[in-house]
Amino acid sequence: MAFEILPQAEKDRRLAVYQAHARRVIDHLAQKGPPEVRRALEEWDPTAYAIEQEHRRLKAMAAEAAALPNWCANRAEKAALERGQREAREYRARERQRYLDQLARNNRRD
């Protein structure tokens, strides 16, 4: 199925339909769901949940920022190692070709 580009009004309509359905399901579970689900829905606070999520996101961003210098150093070390290996490979290939060319010249003289 191809990706559809929807007008904003259609996106808003679909979001409203989804939110209404989610609200109906949550209301149904709050009334007729298992006891642990009803208890969890009674205790659940969307604002507190949003604050916790934002706190987790900020904490993850801080950890990522703290790890960035090490990541950069490791990446630079890896790039230098890869560059050294590539240069060694290229040197071996050049030397091998030079040796084969020398052998070919020596065989032509004989």
Side-chain angles (χ1 to χ4, degrees):
M1 181 172 160
F3 177 74
E4 308 180 53
I5 298 177
L6 298 174
Q8 189 61 42
E10 178 63 14
K11 288 180 186 177
D12 294 342
R13 187 192 71 76
R14 288 185 181 188
L15 179 62
V17 167
Y18 171 76
Q19 288 173 338
H21 174 70
R23 218 174 0 265
R24 281 194 306 272
V25 169
I26 289 174
D27 290 344
H28 173 76
L29 286 173
Q31 293 171 3
K32 299 186 174 152
E36 60 272 5
V37 173
R38 283 184 291 190
R39 196 173 322 107
L41 286 173
E42 287 170 6
E43 296 170 359
W44 187 67
D45 180 12
T47 306
Y49 179 76
I51 291 170
E52 289 171 5
Q53 287 297 102
E54 183 65 10
H55 174 71
R56 284 191 196 105
R57 188 181 73 76
L58 292 173
K59 189 175 175 182
M61 283 177 51
E64 187 176 317
L68 190 60
N70 289 338
W71 181 87
C72 289
N74 291 341
R75 184 65 193 123
E77 184 179 337
K78 183 178 177 185
L81 183 64
E82 289 172 353
R83 185 175 52 251
Q85 291 171 344
R86 185 182 66 245
E87 289 173 357
R89 242 187 342 268
E90 291 168 355
Y91 175 77
R92 285 193 306 270
R94 279 194 314 271
E95 287 299 307
R96 182 174 185 279
Q97 189 59 44
R98 188 183 64 76
Y99 174 74
L100 292 175
D101 291 344
Q102 183 66 36
L103 278 179
R105 278 195 301 274
N106 288 346
N107 286 339
R108 272 184 276 173
R109 280 192 225 149
D110 294 336

